[in-house]
């Protein structure tokens, strides 16, 4: 496949032109002749023609050219109007475009690339050398030229929550620098980028993860919760996401809330309590639906949240593991206040007290 890399060709021709000397011109001419690189051959001819006597005077190097190539050099002395190749003006920088075309081509050609991963039944191909050039974490065992494509799904370690589109997002960034535009892809990509030492991609994903929506915020919290605790990496994003849930509780879909990590639910409740304490409308509206603002404020004054967040009950052990959260969640189990009787209804009479014994 011809990629027509004009920018790279221009840079190579400029380098050859600027580094030709009488010590290396014979070897350069011979190699260009053997590889049938007509433009580079003409470039070295032009250099030799400027000092032809000195060029021919080097007997050892001239003999090494071979009889056919030497005769071409001698013929230059008899020609009056010799036209040599000159390096053209710099072309437009099309390296990014070429790598993008390369990436697109390997996804449509089953035989392209030398490696692939399989995610949820979809095959995604790539070149090992390009991944290795971007991070030292990509170190693949070399294979022979006839080994064919290699399945690196287990070698790279694709996470269960990583979608095919998220992997394509990684490859597009590596191949031609396309930024992450989808926050959902960012949440499933950031952990992979961090593990594979793709630091630039990791920073971009963290920035994109701040673009929260009601559809991705819980997934975002599930990703960032892994790094909340010792060696916190995303504490600000995690807490911001919890506050976002409270602010948008009216439109949130909590159908899968039971599947969430308990720390996520506790963080949301804490953000809720903080907003009530500060007089926020989001917490007041959401809180009233569950237990009433007054009852909630009374629980807060009782210090239940502070007790749960005490040094001995943070949810993290000395070894960095998760503690049992059953006691924590039990503190927050509340019941809805009984509804008042309808207007005009009479309260049931209390039964009379039992008679006293004489």
């Amino acid at each position: 496949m011809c990629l027509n890399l004009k920018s790279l060709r221009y840079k190579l021709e400029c380098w050859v032109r600027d580094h030709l000397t009488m010590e290396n011109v014979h070897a350069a001419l011979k190699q260009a002749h053997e590889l049938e690189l007509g433009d580079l051959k003409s470039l070295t001819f032009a250099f030799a023609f400027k000092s032809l006597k000195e060029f021919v005077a080097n007997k050892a190097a001239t003999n090494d050219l071979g009889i056919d190539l030497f005769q071409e050099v001698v013929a230059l002395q008899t020609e009056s109007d010799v036209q040599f190749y000159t390096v053209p003006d710099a072309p437009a920088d099309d390296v990014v475009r070429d790598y993008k075309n390369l990436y697109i081509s390997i996804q449509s050609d089953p035989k392209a690339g030398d490696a692939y991963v399989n995610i949820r039944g979809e095959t995604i191909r790539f070149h090992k050398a390009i991944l290795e050039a971007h991070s030292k974490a990509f170190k693949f065992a070399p294979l022979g030229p006839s080994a064919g494509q290699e399945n690196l799904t287990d070698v790279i370690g694709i996470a269960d929550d990583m979608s095919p589109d998220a992997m394509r997002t990684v490859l597009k960034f590596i191949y031609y620098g396309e930024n992450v535009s989808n926050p959902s892809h960012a949440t499933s990509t950031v952990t992979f980028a961090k593990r594979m030492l793709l630091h630039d991609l990791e920073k971009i994903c963290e920035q994109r993860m701040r673009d929260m929506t009601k559809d991705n915020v819980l997934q975002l919290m599930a990703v960032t919760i892994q790094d909340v605790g010792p060696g916190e990496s995303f504490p600000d994003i995690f807490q911001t996401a919890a506050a976002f849930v409270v602010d948008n509780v009216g439109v949130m879909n909590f159908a899968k809330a039971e599947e969430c990590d308990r720390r996520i639910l506790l963080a949301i409740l804490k953000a809720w309590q903080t907003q009530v304490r500060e007089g926020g409308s989001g917490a007041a509206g959401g809180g009233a639906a569950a237990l009433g603002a007054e009852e909630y404020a009374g629980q807060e004054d009782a210090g239940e949240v502070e007790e749960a967040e005490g040094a001995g009950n943070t949810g993290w052990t000395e070894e960095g593991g998760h503690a049992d959260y059953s006691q924590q969640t039990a503190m927050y189990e509340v019941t809805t206040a009984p509804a008042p009787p309808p207007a005009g209804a009479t309260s049931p009479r209390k039964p009379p007290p039992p008679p006293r014994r004489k």
Side-chain angles (χ1 to χ4, degrees), residues 115-160:
Y116 67 92
V117 292
N118 191 288
I119 304 177
R120 301 178 189 176
E122 296 188 31
T123 299
I124 304 172
R125 303 174 186 84
F126 55 88
H127 299 91
K128 292 188 291 184
I130 292 180
L131 268 63
E132 289 177 330
H134 278 75
S135 172
K136 61 182 180 181
F138 293 110
K139 290 298 180 183
F140 307 120
L143 295 176
S146 61
Q149 294 178 335
E150 184 180 6
N151 186 348
L152 297 178
T153 306
D154 295 333
V155 175
I156 293 180
I158 302 298
D160 293 338

Side-chain angles (χ1 to χ4, degrees), residues 256-275:
K256 296 185 178 181
E258 295 181 356
E259 301 176 8
C260 290
D261 190 301
R262 290 180 178 178
R263 289 170 295 167
I264 294 176
L265 303 180
L266 291 175
I268 295 173
L269 183 56
K270 176 186 173 183
W272 185 6
Q273 291 179 329
T274 300
Q275 199 170 87

Side-chain angles (χ1 to χ4, degrees), residues 7-331:
S7 296
L8 181 58
R9 172 175 174 167
Y10 167 77
K11 293 176 182 179
L12 291 175
E13 289 180 350
C14 287
W15 190 93
V16 172
R17 179 195 62 192
D18 298 340
H19 290 78
L20 281 175
T21 65
M22 276 299 167
E23 286 72 28
N24 63 28
V25 65
H26 298 81
L29 176 59
K30 182 179 180 180
Q31 190 168 22
H33 175 71
E34 292 175 347
L35 295 176
E36 299 181 355
L37 301 176
D39 292 339
L40 283 181
K41 182 178 178 181
S42 179
L43 203 63
T44 54
F45 267 146
F47 181 85
F49 189 75
K50 294 177 182 178
S51 305
L52 193 56
K53 290 184 179 180
E54 185 179 354
F55 179 86
V56 177
N58 189 338
K59 300 296 183 181
T62 302
N63 291 336
D64 192 47
L65 292 177
I67 187 62
D68 294 336
L69 187 54
F70 179 72
Q71 287 178 347
E72 290 186 47
V73 174
V74 173
L76 292 177
Q77 301 180 59
T78 62
E79 297 184 17
S80 58
D81 187 17
V82 182
Q83 298 294 327
F84 295 110
Y85 172 77
T86 57
V87 178
D89 295 334
D93 191 353
D94 54 6
V95 173
V96 174
R97 183 203 65 189
D98 291 331
Y99 272 97
K100 182 175 182 178
N101 291 337
L102 176 62
Y103 169 79
I104 294 174
S105 68
I106 63 175
Q107 300 310 319
S108 58
D109 185 357
K111 297 182 179 179
D114 58 359
Y116 67 92
V117 292
N118 191 288
I119 304 177
R120 301 178 189 176
E122 296 188 31
T123 299
I124 304 172
R125 303 174 186 84
F126 55 88
H127 299 91
K128 292 188 291 184
I130 292 180
L131 268 63
E132 289 177 330
H134 278 75
S135 172
K136 61 182 180 181
F138 293 110
K139 290 298 180 183
F140 307 120
L143 295 176
S146 61
Q149 294 178 335
E150 184 180 6
N151 186 348
L152 297 178
T153 306
D154 295 333
V155 175
I156 293 180
I158 302 298
D160 293 338
D161 61 345
M162 192 169 190
S163 66
D165 286 340
M167 185 62 191
R168 293 187 185 98
T169 296
V170 173
L171 293 178
K172 289 176 182 178
F173 177 83
I174 290 177
Y175 270 77
Y176 54 95
E178 180 172 291
N179 282 338
V180 181
S181 59
N182 190 323
S184 297
H185 293 170
T187 56
S188 57
T189 299
V190 65
T191 305
F192 180 83
K194 184 177 182 180
R195 179 165 55 84
M196 302 311 292
L197 306 181
L198 297 169
H199 302 303
D200 291 340
L201 179 59
E202 180 185 352
K203 292 178 181 178
I204 292 173
C205 287
E206 289 184 21
Q207 294 173 357
R208 184 58 62 204
M209 286 162 64
R210 300 181 189 277
D211 299 335
M212 301 173 190
T213 68
K214 64 182 181 65
D215 298 316
N216 68 20
V217 66
L218 291 179
Q219 180 189 8
L220 172 59
M221 294 187 73
V223 172
T224 55
I225 192 64
Q226 304 304 322
D227 289 304
V228 174
E232 296 173 342
S233 296
F234 305 124
D236 58 330
I237 298 180
F238 181 77
Q239 300 302 335
T240 302
F244 179 91
V245 173
V246 174
D247 290 338
N248 298 273
V249 67
V251 296
M252 290 294 302
N253 181 5
F254 292 104
K256 296 185 178 181
E258 295 181 356
E259 301 176 8
C260 290
D261 190 301
R262 290 180 178 178
R263 289 170 295 167
I264 294 176
L265 303 180
L266 291 175
I268 295 173
L269 183 56
K270 176 186 173 183
W272 185 6
Q273 291 179 329
T274 300
Q275 199 170 87
V276 167
R277 182 187 300 117
E278 297 173 355
S281 59
L291 51 135
E294 293 182 359
E295 181 181 355
Y296 179 81
Q299 289 183 344
E300 180 185 355
D301 293 340
E304 293 182 359
V305 174
E306 286 74 7
E307 182 181 353
E309 294 172 353
N313 194 21
T314 60
W316 287 87
T317 64
E318 291 293 334
E319 295 76 15
H322 302 300
D324 184 8
Y325 284 87
S326 59
Q327 295 180 356
Q328 285 183 313
T329 52
M331 295 180 183

